[in-house]
C-alpha cells in the first residue's frame, strides 16, 4: 500500500536569529518542539519565547527534584456532594509552590511523569491523604471517602498495591476510605488490568477520571474493576447551552447506570448545570458552585459533620 509521511518543521534564520551554526540549530530545535506541541504536521519560526519556555521547563524540572525534600508540596481538598448537597467525598489535589508562587499542576505533573518523579511524589500524596484522614477522625470529624489521583507510572511499580496497603495500615485508615482515580486513557491499557484488580481486591475504590476524553470500548468498560466514573468538566461546562454536550452527559449517566457505576460530575459551576445533571440521574458533584479546593481545616469546618459521640 501507499506510504504517506508527514513532517513538522522548526525554522531558524541566519543572521536574524544568530550568526553561529550551533545556536541556529538549537533555535531550530526549539521551534520544532513548539511546532510539535501546537499541532503535528505544522511549522514554526524561531522566536526568543521558545528558548525561554525550554529554559523555564529545565529550571522547573531541576526544582522539582528537590521539592519533596524542601517540603514545597501541600494537599488541598475539594468536596464532593450528593443531590441533597451532603458531603459524600473529597478529592485530594496536589499544590506546588516555588518561592511563594504557585506552579499549575498541568505544568509540573507532566514533568514529574517524564522524569519518573511521579513515583515518590505520588506516594507522598497518598500518605499525606491517609495522614489527613486519620487527623480528621482524631479531631472528631466524620470523614467520607477521599479520592487520590494515581498515575499509571506509579501503578507499574512492582508491589504498588502492597505499598499502598502498608501506608493505610501505618496510619490506621481502612483502604475502603480511599478512592484511586485513574484517567480513562490510562486505565484502558490492558497490561494494567491485573494491577487494577489487585487494588480493588485490596479494598480500594477505583474511579475512571476524565471520562469521555479517552476511547473506551463498552466491552473493556464492563470488565474494569471500577465503581465510579467522572464526567470530564469539558462536557459539564457547556451542557446547558450545547445540545451535543448535554446528550453526552445524559448518555454517560445512562451507560454508568447500566454498568452499575456511580457518576461524579466535575467542574459544576452553575445551578443550571447542577439541576440538569440531577435530572439525568447523576449522583455526585464537585465544582465551584459548591466550593473550590480548600485547606484541611476549612474543609472540616465547612463540609464535614461531627462524629456522633459514644
Amino acid at each position: 500500500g501507499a506510504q504517506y509521511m508527514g513532517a513538522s518543521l522548526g525554522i531558524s534564520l541566519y543572521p536574524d536569529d544568530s550568526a553561529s551554526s550551533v545556536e541556529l540549530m538549537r533555535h531550530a530545535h526549539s521551534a520544532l518542539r513548539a511546532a510539535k506541541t501546537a499541532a503535528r504536521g505544522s511549522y514554526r519560526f524561531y522566536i526568543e519565547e521558545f528558548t525561554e519556555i525550554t529554559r523555564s521547563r529545565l529550571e522547573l524540572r531541576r526544582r522539582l527534584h528537590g521539592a519533596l525534600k524542601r517540603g514545597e508540596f501541600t494537599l488541598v481538598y475539594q468536596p464532593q456532594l450528593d443531590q441533597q448537597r451532603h458531603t459524600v467525598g473529597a478529592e485530594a489535589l496536589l499544590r506546588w509552590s516555588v518561592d511563594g508562587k504557585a506552579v499549575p499542576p498541568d505544568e509540573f505533573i507532566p514533568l514529574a511523569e517524564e522524569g519518573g518523579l511521579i513515583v515518590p511524589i505520588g506516594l507522598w500524596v497518598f500518605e499525606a491523604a491517609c495522614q489527613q484522614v486519620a487527623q480528621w477522625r482524631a479531631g472528631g470529624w466524620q470523614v467520607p471517602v477521599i479520592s487520590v489521583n494515581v498515575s499509571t507510572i506509579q501503578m507499574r511499580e512492582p508491589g504498588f498495591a502492597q505499598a499502598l496497603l502498608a501506608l493505610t495500615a501505618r496510619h490506621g485508615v481502612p483502604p475502603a476510605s480511599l478512592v484511586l482515580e485513574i484517567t480513562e486513557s490510562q486505565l484502558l491499557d490492558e497490561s494494567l488490568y491485573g494491577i487494577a484488580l489487585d487494588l480493588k481486591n485490596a479494598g480500594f475504590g477505583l474511579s475512571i477520571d476524565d471520562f469521555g476524553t479517552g476511547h473506551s470500548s463498552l466491552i473493556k468498560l464492563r470488565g474494569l474493576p471500577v465503581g465510579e466514573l467522572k464526567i470530564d468538566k469539558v462536557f459539564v461546562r457547556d451542557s446547558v447551552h450545547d445540545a451535543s454536550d448535554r446528550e453526552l452527559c445524559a448518555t454517560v449517566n445512562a451507560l454508568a447506570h447500566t454498568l452499575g457505576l456511580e457518576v461524579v460530575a466535575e467542574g459544576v459551576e452553575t445551578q443550571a448545570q447542577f439541576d440538569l445533571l440531577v435530572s439525568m440521574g447523576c449522583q455526585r458533584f464537585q465544582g465551584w458552585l459548591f466550593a473550590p479546593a480548600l485547606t484541611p481545616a476549612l474543609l472540616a469546618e465547612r463540609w464535614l459533620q461531627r462524629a456522633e459521640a459514644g
Side-chain angles (χ1 to χ4, degrees), residues 86-109:
H86 296 143
T87 310
V88 285
E91 182 181 359
L93 296 160
L94 182 61
R95 296 289 181 259
W96 181 30
S97 168
V98 174
D99 302 330
K101 204 167 145 282
V103 184
D106 54 8
E107 273 182 38
F108 75 80
I109 299 285

Side-chain angles (χ1 to χ4, degrees), residues 110-291:
L111 283 182
E113 290 194 324
E114 275 169 35
L117 277 173
I118 197 73
V119 173
I121 290 171
L123 272 182
W124 179 88
V125 168
F126 184 83
E127 179 160 25
C130 288
Q131 262 171 321
Q132 191 53 64
V133 169
Q135 248 171 321
W136 275 323
R137 292 206 169 128
W141 299 103
Q142 272 180 24
V143 183
V145 293
I146 300 298
S147 301
V148 177
N149 292 283
V150 167
S151 153
T152 45
I153 297 164
Q154 292 169 261
M155 288 174 76
R156 288 186 196 289
E157 285 289 295
F160 179 62
Q162 289 77 359
L164 296 195
L165 269 180
L167 289 173
T168 56
R170 181 186 304 167
H171 297 286
V173 172
S177 56
L178 292 147
V179 171
L180 309 177
E181 290 192 11
I182 303 150
T183 60
E184 176 186 13
S185 48
Q186 295 180 313
L187 201 51
L188 293 176
D189 180 340
E190 278 167 4
S191 64
L192 291 170
Y193 183 83
I195 300 155
L197 206 52
D198 286 348
L199 291 165
K200 187 189 177 187
N201 291 337
F204 297 108
L206 294 186
S207 173
I208 306 178
D209 198 12
D210 301 339
F211 186 78
T213 56
H215 306 284
S216 291
S217 74
L218 291 180
I219 297 267
K220 275 188 179 173
L221 252 186
R222 197 185 60 191
L224 285 173
V226 296
E228 72 173 31
L229 51 89
K230 298 185 87 170
I231 306 183
D232 191 70
K233 53 181 163 290
V234 173
F235 305 117
V236 171
R237 189 183 58 214
D238 298 328
S239 57
V240 175
H241 312 290
D242 184 314
S244 60
D245 279 357
R246 187 160 55 247
E247 275 165 28
L248 242 160
C249 285
T251 305
V252 170
N253 274 289
L255 173 68
H257 188 75
T258 306
L259 294 171
L261 301 175
E262 289 229 328
V263 178
V264 181
E266 285 191 294
V268 182
E269 291 179 4
T270 67
Q271 185 65 37
Q273 290 168 347
F274 177 63
D275 293 341
L276 188 66
L277 288 158
V278 167
S279 73
M280 290 173 183
C282 186
Q283 290 122 322
R284 298 162 74 132
F285 312 85
Q286 66 185 89
W288 284 28
L289 174 63
F290 318 106

